[in-house]
Amino acid sequence: MIRERFAPSPTGLLHLGHAYSALMAWDAVRANNGKFLLRIEDIDLPRCKPEFEQAIYQDLEWLGLSWPTPVMRQSMRLAAYDSALQKLIDLGLCYPCKCTRKDIAQAMSAPQEGVDVGPDGPIYPQTCKGRPMSEYSATDAIRLDMEKAVSTIKGHLSYTEIGGVYPETIRVKPETLVSYCGDIVLARKDMGTSYHLSVVVDDADQNITHVTRGQDLASATPIHRQLQALLNLSTPTYRHHKLIRDENGKRLAKRDDARAIRSYRENGVTPQGIREMVGLGLNLIQ
Ligand code: GLU
């Protein structure tokens, strides 16, 4: 049985891109007699708002989706992230980092566009690499030593991608992880976890078999695959879909309220109309 999840962050109103992800996952579940789960990714507490969480439930219901309750909320799962983090610390793969964004920018020598920027932004210049965990203080972030992490893995890592025309096996290249992703943050100082760590722990705990999400997150998937291997977690099949763009080719952002599902709804667009706008056409599976 397939299990899909839609995992929005309540930091703004859902827009057409979210509708596309959620409906695509929903359709796959309906066609395969599977299960659709909702997960609220609210670890970034200062940016998350209860009214956006309520709007997520309302907009998805209006689109015709349903899910089991209670929904998983990341803010309630800090203990699970902490124990995963502790495993990585015990493997000797982590170090505390006291750099601010400004420190990182200053340590980087004239970054060129497209060269020093990975899925999390600028590649960390490893200023704090090698600091022992015994020096950790509450104002530090915790990073993964990617070189050590990849050298721990025996054999090749891969995952299945079904977002293209044909299913593909994607090999995770250790050298790409080191040079393109670098020493990613596992625990931000303000939240004790990070998107990458929480997402792999939650997908495994929810027994997710298929992850449907935008192409913008495809570059983070090798990081997720690496963490799954280190933590002995299951690897779902990934479907990264094209991004919904505005008429100028710019990808939609949460700030773009004109493209919010809610705005279309208020202007008389039907759920079927939203399907057509994102190119999912008729939903023949009822
Ligand atoms: N919470 C993420 C977002 O809203 C999605 C994460 C995922 O699907 O892996 O962009």
Side-chain angles (χ1 to χ4, degrees), residues 5-11 14 18 21 39-42 74 195 199 203 211-214 216-217 224 238 240 254:
R5 55 40 166 206
F6 177 56
S9 302
T11 53
L14 297 185
H18 296 104
S21 287
R39 180 167 78 226
I40 301 293
E41 300 212 323
D42 58 349
Q74 290 193 322
Y195 161 61
V199 88
D203 284 341
V211 167
T212 298
R213 60 188 179 192
D216 52 332
L217 288 169
H224 299 171
Y238 289 91
H240 293 101
K254 286 231 177 79

Side-chain angles (χ1 to χ4, degrees), residues 133-167:
M133 280 306 297
S134 56
E135 281 183 17
Y136 171 78
S137 83
T139 51
D140 288 342
I142 296 177
R143 288 185 181 270
L144 181 69
D145 182 328
M146 194 60 92
E147 265 160 329
K148 268 197 198 164
V150 299
S151 69
T152 323
I153 304 294
K154 312 266 171 286
H156 300 297
L157 295 182
S158 63
Y159 58 90
T160 305
E161 168 67 60
I162 58 169
V165 181
Y166 302 107

Side-chain angles (χ1 to χ4, degrees), residues 88 93-95 142-146 149 182-184 186 227 230:
L88 298 171
L93 303 177
C94 301
Y95 61 86
I142 296 177
R143 288 185 181 270
L144 181 69
D145 182 328
M146 194 60 92
D183 294 352
I184 52 133
L186 291 170
L227 290 175
L230 294 169

